[in-house]
Amino acid sequence: RAKTAEPGTVAFFDAPMHVSALRRTALANELDQGLRENQFELQYQPIVNLASGRTDRFEALVRWRHPERGQLLPDEFLPSMEDTGLIVQLGHWVMAEVCRQLVEWGPEVVSVSVNISDKEFWSQDLLTRVLATVGRHGLAPDRITLEITESVLMRRPELALRLMQKMHEAGLRLHIDDFGTGYSSLETLHRFPVDAFKIDRSFIRTLTSSDNSVELISALVKLGKALGIAVVAEGVETGEQLEFLQEIGCATGQGYLFMPAVAGDRVAELLGHSLHAEDSSQTL
Ligand code: C2E
Ligand code: MG
Ligand code: MG
Ligand code: MG
């Protein structure tokens, strides 16, 4: 109907599209410039042993120090980077930066988890490239843990399995991220050479309000034990959630209760201390 109306109407319908296309191009240019000008930064969130409160592993989370808009979180720019393919370049930078940090921190940091995007995971040279970067820094491959979301894996489970087998044989650690949201079958899951799966934050969040998630999380922890796969609970925010997870024997967790992601230079002071809330006075 708009097309047959008078020219002014057509312009009216076209304008928003034009503007959003311009915005996308502008953002893509900014992202590209951001990469060239080193505006990205990694922060690290501890992965905590729930029994002891101690940590020796961290997840790297990217932030963009935007020259005008301040610090931006991944949800604000990663989707565009996926669209434009810039995510692959960002991934190169992230891996190199994590390796540099690991060398600086030394062997007390056992492994750092790096999130792998959809595009990166399916790219031909991911494994070669990661191994080259790790090797160039003189690190063993198991110092790097790749986090791949369940929904990415489930798009092509058979191919994903083959790719992950190669990564596993090369010595990289593998975690399934956002577990419970991607509808993988048990049959598929137990064949994957993964070291851990991370129970999606949405299940932890509804813990106290929903019997369903109590049952589900308990089942996932049992499943992990049966398969010999570690389980990490994401998004632990309250003492109540921690208690429940401890009761059912969930070994590890991450969340604001312990600590949000922090700058790399704060990591050394966290090693060897308990991050349990009640111990926080002796921690920091
Ligand atoms: P993710 O891998 O599932 O990371 C966990 C997210 O939950 C992080 O958000 C983290 O800051 C947040 N979080 C941790 N504890 C809590 C908590 O107790 N409560 C709540 N509400 N949130 C918590 P962030 O840093 O905004 O990252 C969002 C997503 O962006 C990540 O989800 C990951 O998928 C992606 N991402 C982050 N960094 C990278 C990266 O370097 N490369 C790629 N490809 N993706 C990344
Ligand atoms: Mg992750
Ligand atoms: Mg996650
Ligand atoms: Mg997530």
Side-chain angles (χ1 to χ4, degrees):
R1 190 175 260 265
K3 277 192 178 139
T4 55
E6 56 183 298
T9 318
V10 176
F12 174 77
F13 279 104
D14 279 353
M17 278 174 60
H18 182 59
V19 169
S20 85
L22 274 181
R23 271 210 202 104
R24 285 163 65 91
T25 315
L27 180 60
N29 287 338
E30 278 187 69
L31 285 164
D32 187 46
Q33 185 178 2
L35 274 170
R36 282 185 280 110
E37 294 181 359
N38 224 347
Q39 293 169 5
F40 292 90
E41 173 179 279
L42 294 181
Q43 291 184 347
Y44 299 87
Q45 187 179 37
I47 302 171
V48 178
N49 178 317
L50 295 183
S52 68
R54 285 172 186 251
T55 184
D56 55 14
R57 284 144 226 260
F58 296 83
E59 177 176 10
L61 295 162
V62 70
R63 275 87 183 88
W64 183 10
R65 270 178 286 104
H66 191 279
E68 285 107 44
R69 285 182 284 157
Q71 178 180 278
L72 301 179
L73 292 170
D75 290 347
E76 300 172 86
F77 58 86
L78 281 188
S80 307
M81 291 191 107
E82 278 272 351
D83 286 354
T84 53
L86 283 171
I87 190 87
V88 174
Q89 257 171 278
L90 180 76
H92 295 186
W93 176 80
V94 169
M95 194 59 67
E97 175 60 13
V98 164
C99 288
R100 186 197 67 75
Q101 265 300 353
L102 273 165
V103 171
E104 192 181 308
W105 288 330
E108 276 176 88
V109 175
V110 170
S111 195
V112 171
S113 298
V114 177
N115 291 287
I116 300 298
S117 66
D118 196 14
K119 271 228 172 67
E120 289 174 280
F121 180 71
W122 304 109
S123 81
Q124 289 294 320
D125 64 344
L126 175 68
L127 178 58
T128 325
R129 217 172 25 71
V130 170
L131 292 178
T133 309
V134 167
R136 193 167 62 230
H137 288 82
L139 296 164
D142 66 359
R143 302 291 295 287
I144 297 291
T145 301
L146 303 183
E147 288 196 5
I148 302 137
T149 66
E150 186 189 18
S151 51
V152 165
L153 296 179
M154 288 309 119
R155 280 159 44 127
R156 297 185 68 184
E158 290 305 320
L159 178 57
L161 177 61
R162 286 202 298 280
L163 292 171
M164 288 182 87
Q165 275 163 345
K166 286 195 186 134
M167 294 169 182
H168 174 71
E169 280 158 22
L172 296 164
R173 297 179 206 235
L174 301 169
H175 288 185
I176 300 186
D177 204 353
D178 301 346
F179 188 75
T181 59
Y183 311 103
S184 49
S185 69
L186 264 183
E187 188 273 326
T188 320
L189 187 75
H190 90 272
R191 293 191 293 147
F192 277 81
V194 298
D195 301 281
F197 45 72
K198 305 183 74 173
I199 303 177
D200 192 64
R201 193 166 77 221
S202 57
F203 299 107
I204 312 297
R205 189 174 51 224
T206 56
L207 240 183
T208 37
S209 56
S210 141
D211 286 348
N212 272 344
S213 31
V214 169
E215 294 305 326
L216 197 97
I217 293 170
S218 309
L220 289 177
V221 169
K222 278 193 197 122
L223 176 67
K225 286 192 175 136
L227 297 177
I229 297 173
V231 173
V232 183
E234 292 188 323
V236 183
E237 292 184 357
T238 69
E240 232 179 328
Q241 292 166 346
L242 171 61
E243 249 169 61
F244 168 77
L245 292 164
Q246 286 170 328
E247 261 166 42
I248 62 166
C250 181
T252 41
Q254 264 175 277
Y256 296 163
L257 178 67
F258 308 110
M259 188 154 292
V262 295
D265 57 13
R266 296 212 34 215
V267 160
E269 70 190 79
L270 304 178
L271 302 168
H273 293 280
S274 173
L275 300 182
H276 279 162
E278 63 266 34
D279 305 335
S280 59
S281 55
Q282 58 181 69
T283 305
L284 296 171

